[in-house]
Short mmCIF file of all heavy atoms in Angstrom, two decimals:
data_model
loop_
_atom_site.label_atom_id
_atom_site.label_comp_id
_atom_site.label_asym_id
_atom_site.label_seq_id
_atom_site.Cartn_x
_atom_site.Cartn_y
_atom_site.Cartn_z
N ASP A 274 0.84 -1.21 0.00
CA ASP A 274 0.00 0.00 0.00
C ASP A 274 0.87 1.25 0.00
O ASP A 274 2.06 1.22 0.32
CB ASP A 274 -0.95 0.00 1.20
CG ASP A 274 -0.23 0.21 2.52
OD1 ASP A 274 0.01 1.37 2.88
OD2 ASP A 274 0.11 -0.81 3.17
N GLY A 275 0.22 2.36 -0.36
CA GLY A 275 0.95 3.60 -0.54
C GLY A 275 1.66 4.10 0.70
O GLY A 275 2.79 4.59 0.62
N LEU A 276 1.01 3.99 1.86
CA LEU A 276 1.64 4.48 3.08
C LEU A 276 2.87 3.66 3.44
O LEU A 276 3.88 4.20 3.89
CB LEU A 276 0.64 4.48 4.24
CG LEU A 276 -0.60 5.37 4.07
CD1 LEU A 276 -1.32 5.54 5.40
CD2 LEU A 276 -0.23 6.74 3.50
N SER A 277 2.78 2.34 3.25
CA SER A 277 3.94 1.49 3.51
C SER A 277 5.08 1.84 2.56
O SER A 277 6.26 1.86 2.96
CB SER A 277 3.55 0.01 3.34
OG SER A 277 4.69 -0.82 3.40
N LEU A 278 4.74 2.11 1.31
CA LEU A 278 5.75 2.50 0.33
C LEU A 278 6.48 3.77 0.79
O LEU A 278 7.71 3.84 0.78
CB LEU A 278 5.07 2.73 -1.02
CG LEU A 278 5.92 3.06 -2.25
CD1 LEU A 278 5.15 2.74 -3.52
CD2 LEU A 278 6.32 4.54 -2.29
N ILE A 279 5.70 4.76 1.21
CA ILE A 279 6.29 6.05 1.63
C ILE A 279 7.15 5.87 2.87
O ILE A 279 8.27 6.40 2.96
CB ILE A 279 5.18 7.08 1.88
CG1 ILE A 279 4.42 7.38 0.59
CG2 ILE A 279 5.77 8.38 2.45
CD1 ILE A 279 3.12 8.14 0.79
N GLN A 280 6.66 5.09 3.84
CA GLN A 280 7.42 4.87 5.06
C GLN A 280 8.75 4.19 4.77
O GLN A 280 9.78 4.52 5.37
CB GLN A 280 6.59 4.03 6.04
CG GLN A 280 5.42 4.79 6.64
CD GLN A 280 4.46 3.89 7.39
OE1 GLN A 280 4.32 2.71 7.08
NE2 GLN A 280 3.79 4.44 8.39
N THR A 281 8.74 3.25 3.82
CA THR A 281 9.98 2.57 3.45
C THR A 281 10.96 3.52 2.79
O THR A 281 12.17 3.50 3.07
CB THR A 281 9.68 1.39 2.49
OG1 THR A 281 8.76 0.49 3.12
CG2 THR A 281 10.95 0.65 2.12
N LEU A 282 10.45 4.39 1.93
CA LEU A 282 11.31 5.38 1.29
C LEU A 282 11.95 6.31 2.32
O LEU A 282 13.16 6.58 2.27
CB LEU A 282 10.51 6.21 0.28
CG LEU A 282 9.97 5.49 -0.95
CD1 LEU A 282 9.13 6.44 -1.79
CD2 LEU A 282 11.12 4.92 -1.79
N ARG A 283 11.15 6.75 3.26
CA ARG A 283 11.67 7.67 4.28
C ARG A 283 12.68 6.95 5.18
O ARG A 283 13.70 7.53 5.58
CB ARG A 283 10.53 8.24 5.12
CG ARG A 283 9.52 9.09 4.34
CD ARG A 283 10.16 10.24 3.62
NE ARG A 283 9.19 11.14 3.00
CZ ARG A 283 9.23 11.55 1.75
NH1 ARG A 283 10.20 11.13 0.96
NH2 ARG A 283 8.33 12.37 1.27
N ALA A 284 12.42 5.70 5.50
CA ALA A 284 13.33 4.93 6.34
C ALA A 284 14.69 4.75 5.67
O ALA A 284 15.72 4.62 6.34
CB ALA A 284 12.73 3.58 6.68
N GLN A 285 14.69 4.74 4.34
CA GLN A 285 15.93 4.58 3.60
C GLN A 285 16.56 5.92 3.21
O GLN A 285 17.52 5.98 2.45
CB GLN A 285 15.69 3.72 2.35
CG GLN A 285 15.27 2.30 2.69
CD GLN A 285 15.38 1.35 1.51
OE1 GLN A 285 16.24 1.50 0.66
NE2 GLN A 285 14.50 0.36 1.47
N GLY A 286 16.00 7.00 3.76
CA GLY A 286 16.60 8.32 3.58
C GLY A 286 16.21 9.07 2.35
O GLY A 286 16.77 10.14 2.06
N LEU A 287 15.24 8.56 1.59
CA LEU A 287 14.80 9.27 0.38
C LEU A 287 13.80 10.36 0.77
O LEU A 287 12.75 10.07 1.32
CB LEU A 287 14.15 8.29 -0.61
CG LEU A 287 13.89 8.87 -2.01
CD1 LEU A 287 15.20 9.02 -2.77
CD2 LEU A 287 12.95 7.97 -2.79
N GLN A 288 14.14 11.59 0.47
CA GLN A 288 13.31 12.73 0.87
C GLN A 288 12.54 13.36 -0.28
O GLN A 288 12.03 14.47 -0.16
CB GLN A 288 14.20 13.79 1.54
CG GLN A 288 14.87 13.32 2.81
CD GLN A 288 13.88 12.82 3.84
OE1 GLN A 288 12.87 13.46 4.11
NE2 GLN A 288 14.17 11.66 4.44
N THR A 289 12.41 12.65 -1.40
CA THR A 289 11.65 13.16 -2.53
C THR A 289 10.22 13.50 -2.10
O THR A 289 9.57 12.69 -1.43
CB THR A 289 11.59 12.11 -3.66
OG1 THR A 289 12.93 11.72 -4.00
CG2 THR A 289 10.90 12.67 -4.89
N PRO A 290 9.70 14.68 -2.44
CA PRO A 290 8.34 15.05 -2.06
C PRO A 290 7.32 14.06 -2.59
O PRO A 290 7.45 13.58 -3.73
CB PRO A 290 8.14 16.43 -2.69
CG PRO A 290 9.51 16.95 -2.91
CD PRO A 290 10.37 15.78 -3.18
N VAL A 291 6.29 13.78 -1.78
CA VAL A 291 5.25 12.82 -2.16
C VAL A 291 3.88 13.46 -2.03
O VAL A 291 3.53 14.01 -0.99
CB VAL A 291 5.30 11.55 -1.28
CG1 VAL A 291 4.16 10.60 -1.65
CG2 VAL A 291 6.64 10.85 -1.41
N LEU A 292 3.11 13.38 -3.11
CA LEU A 292 1.70 13.77 -3.10
C LEU A 292 0.87 12.51 -3.05
O LEU A 292 0.95 11.66 -3.95
CB LEU A 292 1.36 14.59 -4.36
CG LEU A 292 -0.13 14.89 -4.59
CD1 LEU A 292 -0.69 15.73 -3.45
CD2 LEU A 292 -0.33 15.60 -5.93
N ILE A 293 0.09 12.34 -1.98
CA ILE A 293 -0.74 11.16 -1.82
C ILE A 293 -2.11 11.40 -2.44
O ILE A 293 -2.73 12.44 -2.22
CB ILE A 293 -0.92 10.81 -0.32
CG1 ILE A 293 0.44 10.53 0.33
CG2 ILE A 293 -1.86 9.62 -0.13
CD1 ILE A 293 0.37 10.36 1.84
N LEU A 294 -2.58 10.44 -3.23
CA LEU A 294 -3.93 10.47 -3.78
C LEU A 294 -4.76 9.41 -3.07
O LEU A 294 -4.31 8.29 -2.88
CB LEU A 294 -3.91 10.16 -5.28
CG LEU A 294 -3.05 11.06 -6.18
CD1 LEU A 294 -3.17 10.60 -7.62
CD2 LEU A 294 -3.46 12.51 -6.04
N SER A 295 -5.98 9.75 -2.66
CA SER A 295 -6.80 8.77 -1.95
C SER A 295 -8.27 9.16 -1.97
O SER A 295 -8.62 10.34 -1.98
CB SER A 295 -6.34 8.65 -0.49
OG SER A 295 -7.14 7.73 0.21
N ALA A 296 -9.11 8.12 -1.96
CA ALA A 296 -10.55 8.34 -1.82
C ALA A 296 -10.92 8.50 -0.34
O ALA A 296 -12.04 8.87 -0.02
CB ALA A 296 -11.32 7.16 -2.42
N LEU A 297 -9.96 8.21 0.54
CA LEU A 297 -10.18 8.34 1.98
C LEU A 297 -9.86 9.77 2.39
O LEU A 297 -8.69 10.16 2.43
CB LEU A 297 -9.30 7.35 2.74
CG LEU A 297 -9.46 5.87 2.36
CD1 LEU A 297 -8.46 5.01 3.10
CD2 LEU A 297 -10.89 5.42 2.65
N GLY A 298 -10.92 10.54 2.67
CA GLY A 298 -10.70 11.96 2.87
C GLY A 298 -10.98 12.49 4.25
O GLY A 298 -10.93 13.71 4.46
N ASP A 299 -11.24 11.62 5.22
CA ASP A 299 -11.47 12.10 6.58
C ASP A 299 -10.20 12.72 7.15
O ASP A 299 -9.08 12.41 6.71
CB ASP A 299 -11.91 10.95 7.49
CG ASP A 299 -13.30 10.43 7.13
OD1 ASP A 299 -14.02 11.15 6.40
OD2 ASP A 299 -13.65 9.32 7.57
N VAL A 300 -10.37 13.56 8.14
CA VAL A 300 -9.21 14.22 8.76
C VAL A 300 -8.21 13.19 9.26
O VAL A 300 -6.99 13.33 9.05
CB VAL A 300 -9.67 15.13 9.92
CG1 VAL A 300 -8.46 15.66 10.68
CG2 VAL A 300 -10.49 16.29 9.39
N ASP A 301 -8.70 12.13 9.90
CA ASP A 301 -7.79 11.11 10.44
C ASP A 301 -6.98 10.45 9.34
O ASP A 301 -5.80 10.16 9.51
CB ASP A 301 -8.58 10.05 11.21
CG ASP A 301 -9.14 10.58 12.52
OD1 ASP A 301 -8.66 11.64 12.97
OD2 ASP A 301 -10.04 9.93 13.08
N HIS A 302 -7.63 10.22 8.19
CA HIS A 302 -6.92 9.60 7.07
C HIS A 302 -5.84 10.54 6.52
O HIS A 302 -4.72 10.10 6.20
CB HIS A 302 -7.90 9.25 5.95
CG HIS A 302 -8.84 8.15 6.31
ND1 HIS A 302 -10.21 8.23 6.08
CD2 HIS A 302 -8.62 6.94 6.90
CE1 HIS A 302 -10.77 7.11 6.50
NE2 HIS A 302 -9.84 6.32 7.00
#
């Protein structure tokens, strides 16, 4: 999933900006 992908990138030091697209639009999401 997208969040796991982003977390892995950040854990490996990649700081490329990420725009997340999602149908889940609640504040918590």
Side-chain angles (χ1 to χ4, degrees):
D274 70 85
L276 298 194
S277 172
L278 184 159
I279 296 167
Q280 289 169 331
T281 302
L282 293 176
R283 297 303 187 230
Q285 296 195 32
L287 191 73
Q288 297 304 313
T289 305
V291 177
L292 171 61
I293 299 173
L294 303 180
S295 179
L297 304 175
D299 292 344
V300 172
D301 290 343
H302 292 132

